[in-house]
Amino acid sequence: MHCAACQSTLAPGDSRCPKCGTAVRRPDPDSERRFVTILRADVIDSTGLVAELDPEAAVSRLEPALAAMRGAVRQFGGIVSKELGDGLAAVFGAPIADDNHAPLACHAAIELVRRVASLGDPALQVRVGLHSGHVVAYMVASEFSKVYEIGGAAQHLAARLEQEAEANQIYVSEACQSLADGHVRFESLGGKSLRGFSQPVTVYRIVGASDLSSWRVRRARSVSRFVDRTTERALLDRAAGQARASRQTVLLLGDAGIGKSRLAHEFAQKLRAEGWRLIDAECSPNLQGAPFSTLKRILLSAMDAAAREPGNPGDPVKDLTAIQQSALDAVLDVPIANPQWDELEPHARGRVISDASCAVIQALASRQPTILLLEDLHWIDRASDVVVAAIASLAVPDLLVLLTSRPNGMPVWIARCHAEIVAMRPLDDDSGLEMLSDMLGSSATNADLKNRIVSHTASVPLFIEEVCRGLKDSGTLRGEWGDLALVRPIDELGIPTSIQGVIAARLDRVSKQERSILQIAAALGARSSEAILRKIAILPEDALHGCLVSLDRAELLVRIDSELEDSLEFRHEMVRQVTYDSMVEKVREDIHARILAALEGSEAEDSDKLCYHATRAKDWDKAFAYGRASARKCLARSAFTDAADYFETAMRSLDMTLATPAREASAVDIRIEARAAFIGSGHLSEWLNLGKEAERRADAINDIGRKVAAMTVMAAAQNFYGSPAEAIKLNEEVVGLAEQSDSSGWLNAAQYGLGQVYFLAGRYREAGGLFARARAQLMGPEASAPFGTTAKYALLLCCMMGSINHTVMGDLDVAEQMQRHADAIAEETNRPYDRVAAAYSGGWLKLGRNDPAAGAAILEQAFVLAQKHGIRLFVPVLGCHLGIAYLEQGLFDRARGMLAEAREEARNVGYTSAVLRSSIYLALATNRLGDAQAAQNMLREARNTARQQGFSGLEAEALFGEAVVTPPSNEENRTIIFSALRAAIAIASESGAKPLLHKAEAMLNGMRAAGDQPS
């Protein structure tokens, strides 16, 4: 074993690395996560049965039932994980994965109930609960034995279902029912309240086994049509042609879900339409332990096919000898009266059964070309295997034997019978897309989703179908098959439970060393390099090379062409995800720690990757450091959403470390620094919470400087998120505290924030004074900006808001001067955020100069840039002023659409003033499009809201808008107009908004001159 940090060799008893001191992590190699089906069964009222018995008699009373339970579980491949005195717990699908774990568990439960009932003791009644889910499975070793244990919430649901079940009944969870449906018949019992579960649990009751074949179950679920397989069909056509001269045997070989059965049945039906007889059967995982179960199915299908022959040429069994007929009766469970049969030795009986079966198939082929289709050869019972080998080797014409098998179940006799092996591969991408078009529809709107599904599933047909089914069942896709629409974004396509076992079974076929390589690769991601695997795996070169060759041959981890390095990638994302999910937390942490150690200090060191692996390794100090580094990188390129995510990771990681005053100081600092990410991405409530949490922590360690910084952040957020009255009070308090501190940087920020809220409140003269003071300091030789930003950025914001403020006041030359300064800074930094900010005030200035076309050109570019880089804080205000520019150009439809979009985005962000301003100008656009009443209602509502919340500048704009949209057609309306104009004039005069003042006065004087003054 080696140290995860420095790779030094560790002794078995070491608790810490003797070289670097890192704590030793010892993952249990036998522990792993599994998706399984759990069976719980017990004898009802066992206490009453044995209460008055001595210990030996009590054991004897219950032992027959327990033995019957154990036998049923083992018959269907289950593992008894625990005996409970009067019952047991069993698991299906572990320690070796089996994609049929749910059907097998259901059949075991049916058999369990039957066996206990057959004991003839009416007092022994059982109840059974079944549930499919994820568990942690592990070996518990004692001095004499090992016990396979399972842990996790899934076993508790199985136990609750068992306790709820009635006598001799089997209760099943919805998860198990969905996996076994078709193989078993169920009755829904609806939702039941189970102890320990807050919500009712959907419960089903097993009513019996199904007689449907696995193919018919799969076919009933299928929602896609058969596509492509041109090469494989050509090979089968050639084999059918050659079979006319001599028997041909073809084996379709491929992993589960690849489409073997679909191709086999499509081809068989094609031959049947051409006059061939079809004999079809399948091997069942439920009957692997039943001798001749597969042969019985073949013979029954052959008899049925013979009975349906035109002209009824006769029973193919009639020409057999008496002993051969007895042999077939034995296979078909028909009573035998031939004493010769009883005298035969077992080996001789097997030979006669084989000869008789071959004779039946040969007789049928001699009368009509025959295709014998046998599916799932990997599940054949041992007795039938010998007979099928003989049939597949018959030297007769007009017989085509078509077999399907998974690679791990290919029988040894295939080569002896000269079978042609057709290796099935996934569909090509074009065929996968064709299959998806048939399922989802041909609409181009689903094009991206289709490409993602093809990549996610590597075009394995079953995987494609089940992923689509999962999306439809969850409501992510809505409509009917062939016409489905995506109704919400998808972060991850996920892995349907119906195919987790399929993939897990493939992974169980690799060696322990190969599994460890897969686990490292899964932790690294979809693609990795041989060099990094070599560094982390610490295997001898020949062992590593052998593992990679085997994994490539199994198409689990395949080599890809790359000019840069020996690259490896998972055949499809599902294999990677199942591999990763199968690891218990300790194993994951250990692997990520080894990856982290290997990546640190390399030339291509990437803080994003290091942060990911440090977080997964739970190395919280490093996760904090790398998370903050990645956040800073994202901020530098204006990737604000990503920056916010990394800051969240850094904050969470820091909080996982030991609580000290130094840690709390860092916690305050990281929240203050993170503000820029949450500001840019428009997460206003999170921005506000950052300030609140930072203030709480600064108070706790009595750090006045950090408290001032935290309150400044909180106050700035309040400007956008709340009402001006609250924000002004908080900002004035912050400015007072900042003036008492020795931080000119935070004083500048506080003055800017107070100026901003004065502007929103319509106190333009006071706002201008504060912007001027902060701007003067930031332009001086001792310019200082708060932590987490730069003086140049702070100056840009002051110039932006100063230009806007002077535009509103009508001081356009002063606004122009500030705008030129903002443009120069944005051109110098070339940061998207800075360019958007400068363009915002530039567009506002063009509107102030009555040049809406030029304003629209500037605002359109900024709007696109803000959306491209996720600068959501500016999107609603840019959209609003772009809508105003369209409105002033007479583009009323475009104006209404843009203003409606801006208002919706402002609501989503929580930008209160932007919601109001967008509503005011949306009403004006609505009026110009002919709906004066709707416009009046919108403006009246906006005016009242602005007045209640203290946005006096916006109240004045709403009042003026009300006057504009109200027709002076009667005395009442003229009174409304004059009242609105006078109120707007009063507010504009007090605030210094000269352009609005002049417009309102001009309209008022015009109405007086026209004689529209109310009496």
Side-chain angles (χ1 to χ4, degrees), residues 758-787:
Y758 279 161
F759 172 82
L760 294 171
R763 295 163 63 172
Y764 304 124
R765 293 188 182 91
E766 294 166 278
L770 286 161
F771 292 142
R773 265 181 289 180
R775 183 166 170 263
Q777 200 283 330
L778 289 165
M779 291 176 66
E782 297 182 358
S784 176
F787 170 67

PDB file of all heavy atoms in Angstrom, residues 758-787:
ATOM      1  N   TYR A 758     -29.559  56.797  -3.891  1.00  0.00           N
ATOM      2  CA  TYR A 758     -30.145  58.129  -4.061  1.00  0.00           C
ATOM      3  C   TYR A 758     -30.688  58.293  -5.483  1.00  0.00           C
ATOM      4  O   TYR A 758     -31.768  58.859  -5.696  1.00  0.00           O
ATOM      5  CB  TYR A 758     -29.104  59.213  -3.785  1.00  0.00           C
ATOM      6  CG  TYR A 758     -28.884  59.517  -2.315  1.00  0.00           C
ATOM      7  CD1 TYR A 758     -27.713  60.168  -1.896  1.00  0.00           C
ATOM      8  CD2 TYR A 758     -29.819  59.186  -1.341  1.00  0.00           C
ATOM      9  CE1 TYR A 758     -27.496  60.466  -0.562  1.00  0.00           C
ATOM     10  CE2 TYR A 758     -29.607  59.473   0.000  1.00  0.00           C
ATOM     11  CZ  TYR A 758     -28.439  60.103   0.380  1.00  0.00           C
ATOM     12  OH  TYR A 758     -28.221  60.403   1.709  1.00  0.00           O
ATOM     13  N   PHE A 759     -29.928  57.786  -6.463  1.00  0.00           N
ATOM     14  CA  PHE A 759     -30.380  57.870  -7.860  1.00  0.00           C
ATOM     15  C   PHE A 759     -31.695  57.114  -8.029  1.00  0.00           C
ATOM     16  O   PHE A 759     -32.650  57.616  -8.629  1.00  0.00           O
ATOM     17  CB  PHE A 759     -29.310  57.291  -8.796  1.00  0.00           C
ATOM     18  CG  PHE A 759     -29.766  57.166 -10.219  1.00  0.00           C
ATOM     19  CD1 PHE A 759     -29.747  58.251 -11.077  1.00  0.00           C
ATOM     20  CD2 PHE A 759     -30.243  55.947 -10.707  1.00  0.00           C
ATOM     21  CE1 PHE A 759     -30.189  58.134 -12.392  1.00  0.00           C
ATOM     22  CE2 PHE A 759     -30.687  55.823 -12.012  1.00  0.00           C
ATOM     23  CZ  PHE A 759     -30.656  56.922 -12.855  1.00  0.00           C
ATOM     24  N   LEU A 760     -31.768  55.905  -7.492  1.00  0.00           N
ATOM     25  CA  LEU A 760     -32.984  55.108  -7.620  1.00  0.00           C
ATOM     26  C   LEU A 760     -34.169  55.766  -6.911  1.00  0.00           C
ATOM     27  O   LEU A 760     -35.320  55.604  -7.330  1.00  0.00           O
ATOM     28  CB  LEU A 760     -32.749  53.699  -7.041  1.00  0.00           C
ATOM     29  CG  LEU A 760     -31.744  52.835  -7.803  1.00  0.00           C
ATOM     30  CD1 LEU A 760     -31.443  51.572  -7.016  1.00  0.00           C
ATOM     31  CD2 LEU A 760     -32.265  52.479  -9.186  1.00  0.00           C
ATOM     32  N   ALA A 761     -33.859  56.512  -5.847  1.00  0.00           N
ATOM     33  CA  ALA A 761     -34.925  57.190  -5.105  1.00  0.00           C
ATOM     34  C   ALA A 761     -35.309  58.514  -5.747  1.00  0.00           C
ATOM     35  O   ALA A 761     -36.197  59.215  -5.227  1.00  0.00           O
ATOM     36  CB  ALA A 761     -34.484  57.416  -3.665  1.00  0.00           C
ATOM     37  N   GLY A 762     -34.633  58.886  -6.829  1.00  0.00           N
ATOM     38  CA  GLY A 762     -34.938  60.148  -7.500  1.00  0.00           C
ATOM     39  C   GLY A 762     -34.270  61.355  -6.869  1.00  0.00           C
ATOM     40  O   GLY A 762     -34.642  62.492  -7.162  1.00  0.00           O
ATOM     41  N   ARG A 763     -33.253  61.152  -6.041  1.00  0.00           N
ATOM     42  CA  ARG A 763     -32.513  62.261  -5.410  1.00  0.00           C
ATOM     43  C   ARG A 763     -31.230  62.474  -6.201  1.00  0.00           C
ATOM     44  O   ARG A 763     -30.122  62.177  -5.759  1.00  0.00           O
ATOM     45  CB  ARG A 763     -32.260  61.925  -3.933  1.00  0.00           C
ATOM     46  CG  ARG A 763     -33.543  61.829  -3.130  1.00  0.00           C
ATOM     47  CD  ARG A 763     -33.394  61.120  -1.788  1.00  0.00           C
ATOM     48  NE  ARG A 763     -32.494  61.795  -0.868  1.00  0.00           N
ATOM     49  CZ  ARG A 763     -32.337  61.439   0.411  1.00  0.00           C
ATOM     50  NH1 ARG A 763     -33.071  60.421   0.915  1.00  0.00           N
ATOM     51  NH2 ARG A 763     -31.489  62.083   1.186  1.00  0.00           N
ATOM     52  N   TYR A 764     -31.405  63.002  -7.409  1.00  0.00           N
ATOM     53  CA  TYR A 764     -30.316  63.047  -8.373  1.00  0.00           C
ATOM     54  C   TYR A 764     -29.187  63.996  -7.973  1.00  0.00           C
ATOM     55  O   TYR A 764     -28.013  63.689  -8.205  1.00  0.00           O
ATOM     56  CB  TYR A 764     -30.865  63.423  -9.756  1.00  0.00           C
ATOM     57  CG  TYR A 764     -31.969  62.500 -10.242  1.00  0.00           C
ATOM     58  CD1 TYR A 764     -33.214  62.998 -10.601  1.00  0.00           C
ATOM     59  CD2 TYR A 764     -31.763  61.122 -10.309  1.00  0.00           C
ATOM     60  CE1 TYR A 764     -34.233  62.146 -11.026  1.00  0.00           C
ATOM     61  CE2 TYR A 764     -32.768  60.267 -10.743  1.00  0.00           C
ATOM     62  CZ  TYR A 764     -34.008  60.790 -11.087  1.00  0.00           C
ATOM     63  OH  TYR A 764     -35.009  59.952 -11.494  1.00  0.00           O
ATOM     64  N   ARG A 765     -29.504  65.131  -7.378  1.00  0.00           N
ATOM     65  CA  ARG A 765     -28.457  66.079  -7.004  1.00  0.00           C
ATOM     66  C   ARG A 765     -27.538  65.473  -5.939  1.00  0.00           C
ATOM     67  O   ARG A 765     -26.312  65.583  -6.023  1.00  0.00           O
ATOM     68  CB  ARG A 765     -29.086  67.369  -6.475  1.00  0.00           C
ATOM     69  CG  ARG A 765     -29.849  68.164  -7.541  1.00  0.00           C
ATOM     70  CD  ARG A 765     -30.277  69.518  -6.989  1.00  0.00           C
ATOM     71  NE  ARG A 765     -31.058  70.267  -7.976  1.00  0.00           N
ATOM     72  CZ  ARG A 765     -32.373  70.228  -8.081  1.00  0.00           C
ATOM     73  NH1 ARG A 765     -33.080  69.440  -7.247  1.00  0.00           N
ATOM     74  NH2 ARG A 765     -33.010  70.931  -8.994  1.00  0.00           N
ATOM     75  N   GLU A 766     -28.131  64.823  -4.924  1.00  0.00           N
ATOM     76  CA  GLU A 766     -27.326  64.184  -3.884  1.00  0.00           C
ATOM     77  C   GLU A 766     -26.509  63.025  -4.451  1.00  0.00           C
ATOM     78  O   GLU A 766     -25.354  62.818  -4.072  1.00  0.00           O
ATOM     79  CB  GLU A 766     -28.234  63.679  -2.762  1.00  0.00           C
ATOM     80  CG  GLU A 766     -28.935  64.791  -1.992  1.00  0.00           C
ATOM     81  CD  GLU A 766     -30.061  64.259  -1.138  1.00  0.00           C
ATOM     82  OE1 GLU A 766     -31.172  64.045  -1.670  1.00  0.00           O
ATOM     83  OE2 GLU A 766     -29.810  64.033   0.066  1.00  0.00           O
ATOM     84  N   ALA A 767     -27.123  62.292  -5.378  1.00  0.00           N
ATOM     85  CA  ALA A 767     -26.405  61.180  -6.010  1.00  0.00           C
ATOM     86  C   ALA A 767     -25.192  61.693  -6.756  1.00  0.00           C
ATOM     87  O   ALA A 767     -24.083  61.129  -6.655  1.00  0.00           O
ATOM     88  CB  ALA A 767     -27.337  60.434  -6.962  1.00  0.00           C
ATOM     89  N   GLY A 768     -25.355  62.800  -7.503  1.00  0.00           N
ATOM     90  CA  GLY A 768     -24.244  63.347  -8.264  1.00  0.00           C
ATOM     91  C   GLY A 768     -23.078  63.758  -7.382  1.00  0.00           C
ATOM     92  O   GLY A 768     -21.911  63.547  -7.732  1.00  0.00           O
ATOM     93  N   GLY A 769     -23.373  64.323  -6.222  1.00  0.00           N
ATOM     94  CA  GLY A 769     -22.307  64.721  -5.311  1.00  0.00           C
ATOM     95  C   GLY A 769     -21.499  63.539  -4.815  1.00  0.00           C
ATOM     96  O   GLY A 769     -20.269  63.592  -4.733  1.00  0.00           O
ATOM     97  N   LEU A 770     -22.178  62.459  -4.472  1.00  0.00           N
ATOM     98  CA  LEU A 770     -21.478  61.266  -3.981  1.00  0.00           C
ATOM     99  C   LEU A 770     -20.644  60.610  -5.080  1.00  0.00           C
ATOM    100  O   LEU A 770     -19.513  60.182  -4.843  1.00  0.00           O
ATOM    101  CB  LEU A 770     -22.492  60.273  -3.415  1.00  0.00           C
ATOM    102  CG  LEU A 770     -23.072  60.673  -2.060  1.00  0.00           C
ATOM    103  CD1 LEU A 770     -24.361  59.946  -1.782  1.00  0.00           C
ATOM    104  CD2 LEU A 770     -22.062  60.384  -0.947  1.00  0.00           C
ATOM    105  N   PHE A 771     -21.184  60.515  -6.295  1.00  0.00           N
ATOM    106  CA  PHE A 771     -20.411  59.945  -7.409  1.00  0.00           C
ATOM    107  C   PHE A 771     -19.168  60.793  -7.666  1.00  0.00           C
ATOM    108  O   PHE A 771     -18.083  60.257  -7.938  1.00  0.00           O
ATOM    109  CB  PHE A 771     -21.265  59.881  -8.684  1.00  0.00           C
ATOM    110  CG  PHE A 771     -22.406  58.896  -8.607  1.00  0.00           C
ATOM    111  CD1 PHE A 771     -23.635  59.195  -9.192  1.00  0.00           C
ATOM    112  CD2 PHE A 771     -22.261  57.683  -7.957  1.00  0.00           C
ATOM    113  CE1 PHE A 771     -24.689  58.295  -9.128  1.00  0.00           C
ATOM    114  CE2 PHE A 771     -23.314  56.773  -7.892  1.00  0.00           C
ATOM    115  CZ  PHE A 771     -24.536  57.085  -8.467  1.00  0.00           C
ATOM    116  N   ALA A 772     -19.314  62.131  -7.588  1.00  0.00           N
ATOM    117  CA  ALA A 772     -18.185  63.027  -7.850  1.00  0.00           C
ATOM    118  C   ALA A 772     -17.087  62.841  -6.816  1.00  0.00           C
ATOM    119  O   ALA A 772     -15.893  62.821  -7.140  1.00  0.00           O
ATOM    120  CB  ALA A 772     -18.669  64.479  -7.865  1.00  0.00           C
ATOM    121  N   ARG A 773     -17.479  62.700  -5.527  1.00  0.00           N
ATOM    122  CA  ARG A 773     -16.479  62.516  -4.482  1.00  0.00           C
ATOM    123  C   ARG A 773     -15.690  61.217  -4.658  1.00  0.00           C
ATOM    124  O   ARG A 773     -14.468  61.186  -4.583  1.00  0.00           O
ATOM    125  CB  ARG A 773     -17.151  62.526  -3.113  1.00  0.00           C
ATOM    126  CG  ARG A 773     -17.131  63.893  -2.437  1.00  0.00           C
ATOM    127  CD  ARG A 773     -17.776  63.837  -1.076  1.00  0.00           C
ATOM    128  NE  ARG A 773     -19.222  63.662  -1.201  1.00  0.00           N
ATOM    129  CZ  ARG A 773     -20.043  63.582  -0.174  1.00  0.00           C
ATOM    130  NH1 ARG A 773     -19.584  63.627   1.059  1.00  0.00           N
ATOM    131  NH2 ARG A 773     -21.339  63.438  -0.347  1.00  0.00           N
ATOM    132  N   ALA A 774     -16.425  60.133  -4.905  1.00  0.00           N
ATOM    133  CA  ALA A 774     -15.754  58.845  -5.097  1.00  0.00           C
ATOM    134  C   ALA A 774     -14.886  58.875  -6.348  1.00  0.00           C
ATOM    135  O   ALA A 774     -13.757  58.374  -6.355  1.00  0.00           O
ATOM    136  CB  ALA A 774     -16.795  57.735  -5.211  1.00  0.00           C
ATOM    137  N   ARG A 775     -15.390  59.521  -7.392  1.00  0.00           N
ATOM    138  CA  ARG A 775     -14.633  59.590  -8.657  1.00  0.00           C
ATOM    139  C   ARG A 775     -13.343  60.387  -8.471  1.00  0.00           C
ATOM    140  O   ARG A 775     -12.284  60.002  -8.981  1.00  0.00           O
ATOM    141  CB  ARG A 775     -15.527  60.217  -9.720  1.00  0.00           C
ATOM    142  CG  ARG A 775     -14.913  60.306 -11.107  1.00  0.00           C
ATOM    143  CD  ARG A 775     -15.999  60.616 -12.139  1.00  0.00           C
ATOM    144  NE  ARG A 775     -15.420  60.934 -13.418  1.00  0.00           N
ATOM    145  CZ  ARG A 775     -15.199  62.177 -13.860  1.00  0.00           C
ATOM    146  NH1 ARG A 775     -15.560  63.214 -13.117  1.00  0.00           N
ATOM    147  NH2 ARG A 775     -14.651  62.392 -15.042  1.00  0.00           N
ATOM    148  N   ALA A 776     -13.411  61.486  -7.737  1.00  0.00           N
ATOM    149  CA  ALA A 776     -12.222  62.306  -7.518  1.00  0.00           C
ATOM    150  C   ALA A 776     -11.143  61.516  -6.778  1.00  0.00           C
ATOM    151  O   ALA A 776      -9.960  61.572  -7.134  1.00  0.00           O
ATOM    152  CB  ALA A 776     -12.603  63.560  -6.728  1.00  0.00           C
ATOM    153  N   GLN A 777     -11.535  60.752  -5.761  1.00  0.00           N
ATOM    154  CA  GLN A 777     -10.546  59.968  -5.016  1.00  0.00           C
ATOM    155  C   GLN A 777      -9.948  58.870  -5.895  1.00  0.00           C
ATOM    156  O   GLN A 777      -8.747  58.617  -5.845  1.00  0.00           O
ATOM    157  CB  GLN A 777     -11.202  59.371  -3.765  1.00  0.00           C
ATOM    158  CG  GLN A 777     -10.228  58.941  -2.665  1.00  0.00           C
ATOM    159  CD  GLN A 777      -9.532  57.614  -2.963  1.00  0.00           C
ATOM    160  OE1 GLN A 777     -10.102  56.766  -3.637  1.00  0.00           O
ATOM    161  NE2 GLN A 777      -8.303  57.459  -2.476  1.00  0.00           N
ATOM    162  N   LEU A 778     -10.802  58.237  -6.701  1.00  0.00           N
ATOM    163  CA  LEU A 778     -10.339  57.131  -7.545  1.00  0.00           C
ATOM    164  C   LEU A 778      -9.456  57.605  -8.692  1.00  0.00           C
ATOM    165  O   LEU A 778      -8.725  56.807  -9.285  1.00  0.00           O
ATOM    166  CB  LEU A 778     -11.544  56.357  -8.091  1.00  0.00           C
ATOM    167  CG  LEU A 778     -12.304  55.527  -7.055  1.00  0.00           C
ATOM    168  CD1 LEU A 778     -13.672  55.108  -7.593  1.00  0.00           C
ATOM    169  CD2 LEU A 778     -11.496  54.301  -6.658  1.00  0.00           C
ATOM    170  N   MET A 779      -9.525  58.900  -9.023  1.00  0.00           N
ATOM    171  CA  MET A 779      -8.662  59.451 -10.076  1.00  0.00           C
ATOM    172  C   MET A 779      -7.380  60.037  -9.496  1.00  0.00           C
ATOM    173  O   MET A 779      -6.478  60.430 -10.244  1.00  0.00           O
ATOM    174  CB  MET A 779      -9.411  60.541 -10.853  1.00  0.00           C
ATOM    175  CG  MET A 779     -10.558  60.009 -11.701  1.00  0.00           C
ATOM    176  SD  MET A 779     -11.493  61.313 -12.528  1.00  0.00           S
ATOM    177  CE  MET A 779     -10.257  61.961 -13.657  1.00  0.00           C
ATOM    178  N   GLY A 780      -7.284  60.090  -8.166  1.00  0.00           N
ATOM    179  CA  GLY A 780      -6.128  60.690  -7.518  1.00  0.00           C
ATOM    180  C   GLY A 780      -4.947  59.738  -7.429  1.00  0.00           C
ATOM    181  O   GLY A 780      -5.039  58.553  -7.758  1.00  0.00           O
ATOM    182  N   PRO A 781      -3.815  60.224  -6.946  1.00  0.00           N
ATOM    183  CA  PRO A 781      -2.588  59.404  -6.874  1.00  0.00           C
ATOM    184  C   PRO A 781      -2.685  58.277  -5.847  1.00  0.00           C
ATOM    185  O   PRO A 781      -1.959  57.304  -5.936  1.00  0.00           O
ATOM    186  CB  PRO A 781      -1.517  60.436  -6.465  1.00  0.00           C
ATOM    187  CG  PRO A 781      -2.283  61.536  -5.794  1.00  0.00           C
ATOM    188  CD  PRO A 781      -3.608  61.598  -6.486  1.00  0.00           C
ATOM    189  N   GLU A 782      -3.564  58.416  -4.867  1.00  0.00           N
ATOM    190  CA  GLU A 782      -3.708  57.372  -3.843  1.00  0.00           C
ATOM    191  C   GLU A 782      -5.043  56.643  -4.004  1.00  0.00           C
ATOM    192  O   GLU A 782      -5.718  56.308  -3.029  1.00  0.00           O
ATOM    193  CB  GLU A 782      -3.606  57.995  -2.455  1.00  0.00           C
ATOM    194  CG  GLU A 782      -2.242  58.628  -2.188  1.00  0.00           C
ATOM    195  CD  GLU A 782      -2.141  59.209  -0.794  1.00  0.00           C
ATOM    196  OE1 GLU A 782      -3.151  59.141  -0.062  1.00  0.00           O
ATOM    197  OE2 GLU A 782      -1.063  59.719  -0.451  1.00  0.00           O
ATOM    198  N   ALA A 783      -5.424  56.391  -5.257  1.00  0.00           N
ATOM    199  CA  ALA A 783      -6.695  55.708  -5.536  1.00  0.00           C
ATOM    200  C   ALA A 783      -6.720  54.361  -4.840  1.00  0.00           C
ATOM    201  O   ALA A 783      -5.746  53.608  -4.871  1.00  0.00           O
ATOM    202  CB  ALA A 783      -6.868  55.529  -7.039  1.00  0.00           C
ATOM    203  N   SER A 784      -7.834  54.091  -4.215  1.00  0.00           N
ATOM    204  CA  SER A 784      -7.962  52.842  -3.454  1.00  0.00           C
ATOM    205  C   SER A 784      -9.320  52.223  -3.712  1.00  0.00           C
ATOM    206  O   SER A 784     -10.337  52.916  -3.683  1.00  0.00           O
ATOM    207  CB  SER A 784      -7.788  53.136  -1.959  1.00  0.00           C
ATOM    208  OG  SER A 784      -8.006  51.975  -1.201  1.00  0.00           O
ATOM    209  N   ALA A 785      -9.300  50.901  -3.963  1.00  0.00           N
ATOM    210  CA  ALA A 785     -10.552  50.158  -4.189  1.00  0.00           C
ATOM    211  C   ALA A 785     -10.689  49.097  -3.116  1.00  0.00           C
ATOM    212  O   ALA A 785      -9.698  48.658  -2.526  1.00  0.00           O
ATOM    213  CB  ALA A 785     -10.528  49.507  -5.566  1.00  0.00           C
ATOM    214  N   PRO A 786     -11.895  48.674  -2.853  1.00  0.00           N
ATOM    215  CA  PRO A 786     -12.086  47.638  -1.833  1.00  0.00           C
ATOM    216  C   PRO A 786     -11.521  46.292  -2.276  1.00  0.00           C
ATOM    217  O   PRO A 786     -11.289  46.051  -3.459  1.00  0.00           O
ATOM    218  CB  PRO A 786     -13.605  47.569  -1.670  1.00  0.00           C
ATOM    219  CG  PRO A 786     -14.158  48.126  -2.923  1.00  0.00           C
ATOM    220  CD  PRO A 786     -13.167  49.132  -3.421  1.00  0.00           C
ATOM    221  N   PHE A 787     -11.310  45.445  -1.271  1.00  0.00           N
ATOM    222  CA  PHE A 787     -10.780  44.104  -1.512  1.00  0.00           C
ATOM    223  C   PHE A 787     -11.649  43.351  -2.520  1.00  0.00           C
ATOM    224  O   PHE A 787     -12.868  43.403  -2.454  1.00  0.00           O
ATOM    225  CB  PHE A 787     -10.754  43.358  -0.169  1.00  0.00           C
ATOM    226  CG  PHE A 787     -10.447  41.891  -0.288  1.00  0.00           C
ATOM    227  CD1 PHE A 787      -9.207  41.441  -0.707  1.00  0.00           C
ATOM    228  CD2 PHE A 787     -11.425  40.952   0.010  1.00  0.00           C
ATOM    229  CE1 PHE A 787      -8.946  40.093  -0.811  1.00  0.00           C
ATOM    230  CE2 PHE A 787     -11.165  39.602  -0.086  1.00  0.00           C
ATOM    231  CZ  PHE A 787      -9.917  39.176  -0.494  1.00  0.00           C
TER     232      PHE A 787
END
